[in-house]
Amino acid sequence: MAFAIVRPTMYLDNLLKPSARAEIMTEGVFAPPIPSSQCIAWTSADDCAEAAMTLLEHGAMGGDYRIAGPESLTGDELAARVSVGLGRTIRYQGQSPGEFEHEVDAPMGAGVGGRIASKFRYFAARPDDADAILALSYVARSGLEGFQPTDVESWVRAHREVFGVRDEATGAPR
């Protein structure tokens, strides 16, 4: 059976989680369970889907394709890019995996948060693995010709309406 593995770093789509989006818009804070010092080459679900389609179109099977953003960012650098994209100041505030676990358990049920938080506990305990998995920015490979990952600011601008950002003059989404 032909296959290819598309392996993302960390999804920008996490900013769209209802609780994260609410914190961003009401408190100006993005608080994932990752310390600000951890560099991440943020990607998106759309970029992973585009990469998968590109691999299919090129018949590139049998490989392991790491999909990452075009630049590796600390939490503060991510917040600066999100701030520009939204047109308002956002702060990055890493939270503990335990806090994150309780936040996820509340809407999704006991135990769900623990399963998800285990990944962040792993990264905290093994910073070299975290860097190898999360920090390296996208490197073009055979089979992905023509694929270009989306930078954070462009991704945020494309999702401004979801964050409730509207053009002040027209009231329309910007």
Side-chain angles (χ1 to χ4, degrees):
M1 176 186 293
F3 70 93
I5 298 169
V6 175
R7 195 167 36 95
T9 53
M10 186 73 65
Y11 287 125
L12 285 165
D13 305 76
N14 287 317
L15 280 83
L16 301 177
K17 180 179 76 162
S19 60
R21 195 173 63 230
E23 282 183 339
I24 289 168
M25 296 316 295
T26 61
E27 300 170 34
V29 173
F30 177 52
I34 303 166
S36 179
S37 59
Q38 175 64 57
C39 287
I40 301 174
W42 294 83
T43 190
S44 69
D46 287 342
D47 277 359
C48 286
E50 182 182 339
M53 291 303 298
T54 301
L55 291 168
L56 287 170
E57 290 166 358
H58 290 121
M61 296 295 137
D64 184 345
Y65 297 87
R66 189 174 169 284
I67 306 304
E71 59 183 340
S72 186
L73 304 169
T74 65
D76 292 337
E77 292 167 336
L78 172 70
R81 304 298 192 287
V82 172
S83 295
V84 171
L86 290 178
R88 62 178 297 213
T89 302
I90 304 300
R91 290 182 303 108
Y92 186 99
Q93 180 180 314
Q95 67 175 303
S96 75
E99 290 173 297
F100 174 80
E101 182 176 336
H102 293 298
E103 181 183 295
V104 172
D105 277 351
M108 300 186 78
V112 175
R115 288 191 297 276
I116 298 170
S118 67
K119 170 174 61 175
F120 301 109
R121 286 186 176 96
Y122 176 87
F123 290 148
R126 295 170 184 82
D128 290 344
D129 286 351
D131 285 342
I133 293 167
L134 301 173
L136 302 174
S137 57
Y138 177 73
V139 175
R141 288 194 46 203
S142 178
L144 286 171
E145 294 84 5
F147 171 74
Q148 284 295 319
T150 307
D151 65 89
V152 171
E153 186 179 329
S154 296
W155 183 89
V156 171
R157 286 185 189 280
H159 291 84
R160 287 171 66 96
E161 183 177 356
V162 179
F163 288 100
V165 177
R166 299 194 166 274
D167 184 291
E168 293 173 14
T170 67
R174 290 197 278 177

